[in-house]
Amino acid sequence: MLKTLGAQIKEFKRDSILTPVFMIGEVIMETIIPLLMASIIDNGVTAGNMNHIYLIGALMVGTAVLSLAFGILGGQFGSRASTGFARNLRKAMYENIQTFSFSNIDKFSTSGLVTRLTTDVTNMQNAYQMILRMCMRAPASLICAMGMSFIISPRLASVYLVAVLLLAVVLGLIVTQATKHFTQAFPKYDALNESVQENVSAIRVVKAYVREEYEVEKFRKASGNLYKIFCKAESIVIWNNPVMNFTVYACILTISWLGAHMIVQDTLTTGQLMNMLTYCMNILMSLMMLSMIFVMITMSLASARRICEVLEEKADLGNPEDPVKEVRDGSITFDHVSFSYKKEASDPVLKDINLEIKSGETVGIIGGTGSAKSSLVNLVSRLYDVTEGKLSVGGVNVKDYDTESLRNQVAVVLQNNVLFSGTILENLRWGDRDATEEECRHACEMACADEFIQRMPKGYNTYIEQGGTNVSGGQKQRLCIARALLKKPKVLILDDSTSAVDTATDAKIRKAFAEVIPGTTKLIIAQRISSVEHADRIIVMNEGQVDGFGTHEELLENNEIYREVYEAQTSGSGDFDE
């Protein structure tokens, strides 16, 4: 874990080294000041030597200025190092998430990733700054003050030693008990973020079903759980101050009592007694800082582990040593392919699939809900890897391709259409960042999207809200199809991507595909047989297996499932789930 996190310090190593150096310098200056003060009292005020007072006073001013300068520099370098460390953590996590395959992403919840990128990184930033500054300052101050105390008066310094030992035991108990609660707190942020995320993203559904009170109650429960855990932790940490104050005042009283007797006996000077009282505060405040450091570090340990989980997660899908970077054509071959989302699953989602699709063919894929239609096409663009068998595109095993090159030639319009905030042109250029407006217009004409875009006030410069909330479901689907067409792919996969458009528009889109991109292999998942009956061939999926593969006429004659659904749909009802 330390190695993983330490690798993200990178260009802030110099700041991370200079911060503790300046903090130690500040401690040394603060340790010298009481010695100078004692010298003024004993050799200046008591002896009536004004020259000594002026000289030592000037030295005290210089020492105080140096202490201030060291403190400012330590704070500046520490802030730069900790904020830079946090920036690098966020960047490294975000970049690593971009490399994840679908199977990697399935291991983390969206809210969990958001918490790691925000709350957990902030905890690490605060902890790192405290480590650089206080972890050096507190022990150094404790050691210097204790050392000087024993030099001045071992008898009085033994009071500090007893106080330090007792205080260390008490603070150790406080930290141990508080840690148990803090480690439980941060995972609760996931539940809180999940509640907010679901409510905001699905606010229309919430209002449509009048579930505002239910959502408020769910958020209140998640927030309440977090509140209870932090209250328990803070109720333990709060003992820190009274215990510390009791120890400080007890030490001051004891030192004053014993010191007064020693002054009367001429074994201690007034200046030395003032020194001891000053060092008393230094020692006990150092202990207080150490206790807070332990609490902060303990709090951040849970965050550190969660961040490392993301940083150390390796993408399941990688490129071979010498990847193929050119997809020859759009032919697809499934050779005894089986697939499971989890390796340990006993029952595969896809079972022994054998298919051969020619380049340029239009192939329909139909089947009931849960028949693994989407799972089948997700393997083509290598969003997942096959568990058994071999899948080839353009005559080459998909595992031998450069992943980016393969996906650039296999365009997928997923079942859940996603548009990003920005103009229509900006969304379309996700397919081809260098596409001209004319090319975008041509793709939209093929997808029957140009007709509604032209009716918008700003045309192709119309702003799309996040998630495409200001366009209808059918318009969103057509924009996503146009975006995929701009890639000029060898294989085009439409995963139930025309379900929200009317039958006439669906027919226009299919006709445009046949006329404009005849060389592109088209895989069309649909629920309506009318959407695929004109395809060159149709795959009938049933419980993860290919139940039939042929033309519309062949399936009507030979496939019972297809025939029953066709008859039911042409009579006005029926689908593959019945």
Side-chain angles (χ1 to χ4, degrees):
M1 185 169 70
L2 290 176
K3 184 178 179 182
T4 302
L5 295 174
Q8 301 308 318
I9 298 174
K10 295 181 180 178
E11 68 270 32
F12 298 99
K13 288 179 181 177
R14 182 181 70 93
D15 295 330
S16 299
I17 293 170
L18 287 176
T19 300
V21 169
F22 284 122
M23 298 314 298
I24 291 173
E26 183 185 17
V27 168
I28 292 171
M29 294 300 107
E30 288 178 352
T31 307
I32 293 173
I33 287 174
L35 292 175
L36 297 176
M37 189 183 302
S39 179
I40 285 180
I41 293 172
D42 293 337
N43 302 319
V45 176
T46 304
N49 187 346
M50 290 302 297
N51 290 331
H52 186 80
I53 293 174
Y54 292 143
L55 175 63
I56 301 302
L59 287 174
M60 283 183 66
V61 171
T63 305
V65 170
L66 280 175
S67 177
L68 177 64
F70 286 148
I72 291 172
L73 289 170
Q76 183 178 353
F77 285 112
S79 298
R80 189 184 302 163
S82 59
T83 53
F85 177 56
R87 185 199 69 181
N88 289 344
L89 282 178
R90 288 193 187 94
K91 182 181 177 185
M93 278 197 289
Y94 193 79
E95 288 177 349
N96 200 38
I97 290 169
Q98 303 309 307
T99 69
F100 287 176
S101 66
F102 279 20
S103 57
N104 292 118
I105 293 172
D106 291 342
K107 297 178 184 178
F108 302 95
S109 66
T110 304
S111 58
L113 290 174
V114 171
T115 304
R116 284 168 168 85
L117 284 163
T118 52
T119 305
D120 288 330
V121 171
T122 300
N123 291 336
M124 288 303 300
Q125 177 180 338
N126 293 336
Y128 189 59
Q129 183 167 13
M130 189 166 281
I131 288 169
L132 291 180
R133 298 185 65 190
M134 298 306 168
C135 265
M136 287 297 172
R137 177 186 171 82
S141 181
L142 179 65
I143 292 168
C144 289
M146 284 291 288
M148 295 305 298
S149 297
F150 273 98
I151 290 172
I152 294 169
S153 175
R155 181 183 173 190
L156 289 180
S158 61
V159 174
Y160 297 151
L161 192 59
V162 173
V164 165
L165 292 175
L166 290 175
L167 196 57
V169 171
V170 174
L171 293 180
L173 291 173
I174 291 173
V175 170
T176 304
Q177 294 303 313
T179 297
K180 295 177 183 177
H181 299 293
F182 279 124
T183 52
Q184 296 171 6
F186 294 105
K188 295 293 182 183
Y189 277 112
D190 290 355
L192 191 69
N193 285 341
E194 185 178 0
S195 176
V196 175
Q197 179 195 346
E198 285 184 344
N199 181 270
V200 173
S201 60
I203 191 67
R204 287 167 177 77
V205 179
V206 173
K207 291 190 175 297
Y209 284 86
V210 197
R211 298 286 281 176
E212 292 91 343
E213 289 185 7
Y214 170 78
E215 288 295 320
V216 169
E217 177 62 24
K218 189 167 73 170
F219 179 83
R220 187 197 64 77
K221 185 177 180 181
S223 180
N225 289 335
L226 200 60
Y227 166 78
K228 289 176 183 176
I229 292 175
F230 271 112
C231 274
K232 288 179 181 177
E234 293 295 343
S235 66
I236 296 170
V237 173
I238 203 68
W239 281 94
N240 205 5
N241 279 338
V243 170
M244 181 62 62
N245 288 334
F246 174 79
T247 308
V248 168
Y249 294 135
C251 282
I252 290 173
L253 285 171
T254 306
I255 294 296
S256 299
W257 176 262
L258 293 176
H261 280 284
M262 293 174 71
I263 290 173
V264 171
Q265 296 168 2
D266 282 335
T267 57
L268 189 74
T269 67
T270 305
Q272 288 175 328
L273 178 59
M274 289 190 63
N275 258 359
M276 295 298 291
L277 291 174
T278 304
Y279 289 139
C280 171
M281 294 300 297
N282 286 354
I283 290 168
L284 298 178
M285 290 307 295
S286 297
L287 274 178
M288 186 174 180
M289 282 192 287
L290 281 173
S291 69
M292 296 310 298
I293 289 167
F294 285 130
V295 171
M296 178 61 74
I297 291 175
T298 305
M299 287 169 58
S300 65
L301 277 176
S303 295
R305 292 190 190 99
R306 287 156 55 83
I307 289 170
C308 286
E309 284 176 6
V310 178
L311 291 176
E312 293 172 357
E313 180 72 19
K314 300 300 179 185
D316 292 340
L317 307 181
N319 288 337
E321 288 186 6
D322 188 20
V324 178
K325 294 191 176 182
E326 184 178 352
V327 181
R328 187 182 62 195
D329 56 46
S331 60
I332 304 169
T333 305
F334 289 82
D335 184 8
H336 296 285
V337 168
S338 294
F339 169 69
S340 298
Y341 284 101
K342 295 183 177 179
K343 294 179 181 179
E344 62 273 14
S346 56
D347 189 23
V349 177
L350 292 169
K351 307 161 192 172
D352 196 31
I353 305 295
N354 288 286
L355 293 169
E356 190 168 338
I357 300 169
K358 298 174 183 176
S359 181
E361 262 193 308
T362 299
V363 176
I365 304 174
I366 56 177
T369 303
S371 60
K373 304 184 297 295
S374 296
S375 299
L376 182 75
V377 297
N378 282 340
L379 298 178
V380 178
S381 57
R382 209 186 170 203
L383 297 176
Y384 292 97
D385 259 344
V386 302
T387 307
E388 295 178 12
K390 177 184 175 183
L391 171 59
S392 301
V393 174
V396 177
N397 191 329
V398 291
K399 293 182 179 180
D400 295 332
Y401 278 114
D402 172 68
T403 307
E404 184 177 343
S405 301
L406 174 66
R407 289 177 183 167
N408 275 331
Q409 293 301 320
V410 181
V412 183
V413 183
L414 296 170
Q415 195 169 6
N416 296 322
N417 299 288
V418 176
L419 293 175
F420 298 89
S421 53
T423 65
I424 290 177
L425 274 177
E426 288 171 346
N427 271 277
L428 291 172
R429 283 172 178 152
W430 273 69
D432 180 0
R433 69 185 68 180
D434 299 319
T436 64
E437 186 170 344
E438 186 59 36
E439 289 173 324
C440 293
R441 191 185 305 276
H442 179 62
C444 288
E445 288 172 354
M446 291 174 61
C448 295
D450 183 66
E451 54 190 45
F452 74 80
I453 294 174
Q454 295 292 0
R455 293 197 298 270
M456 291 180 169
K458 295 184 180 179
Y460 283 82
N461 290 312
T462 300
Y463 190 84
I464 300 292
E465 301 292 341
Q466 185 178 8
T469 54
N470 59 334
V471 291
S472 70
Q475 291 172 338
K476 191 189 296 185
Q477 286 188 337
R478 283 179 276 177
L479 286 171
C480 290
I481 292 171
R483 181 174 65 189
L485 291 173
L486 277 171
K487 295 184 74 172
K488 303 178 181 66
K490 297 285 198 320
V491 179
L492 176 63
I493 299 172
L494 303 177
D495 188 354
D496 205 14
S497 302
T498 56
S499 57
V501 302
D502 58 87
T503 308
T505 303
D506 187 13
K508 288 181 183 177
I509 293 172
R510 284 188 279 107
K511 183 181 178 183
F513 286 171
E515 293 176 354
V516 183
I517 51 172
T520 298
T521 304
K522 296 165 281 293
L523 304 181
I524 304 172
I525 295 177
Q527 294 294 336
R528 298 189 299 244
I529 288 181
S530 60
S531 297
V532 295
E533 63 180 332
H534 300 293
D536 297 319
R537 287 188 289 175
I538 302 167
I539 300 170
V540 180
M541 297 293 297
N542 184 36
E543 296 182 354
Q545 295 178 306
V546 176
D547 191 80
F549 185 33
T551 63
H552 173 67
E553 291 75 17
E554 290 171 347
L555 292 173
L556 280 177
E557 184 178 344
N558 303 321
N559 190 272
E560 183 179 350
I561 296 175
Y562 188 85
R563 184 170 57 253
E564 287 179 358
V565 176
Y566 176 76
E567 290 172 354
Q569 287 188 357
T570 52
S571 65
S573 64
D575 60 33
F576 284 89
D577 295 323
E578 294 182 355

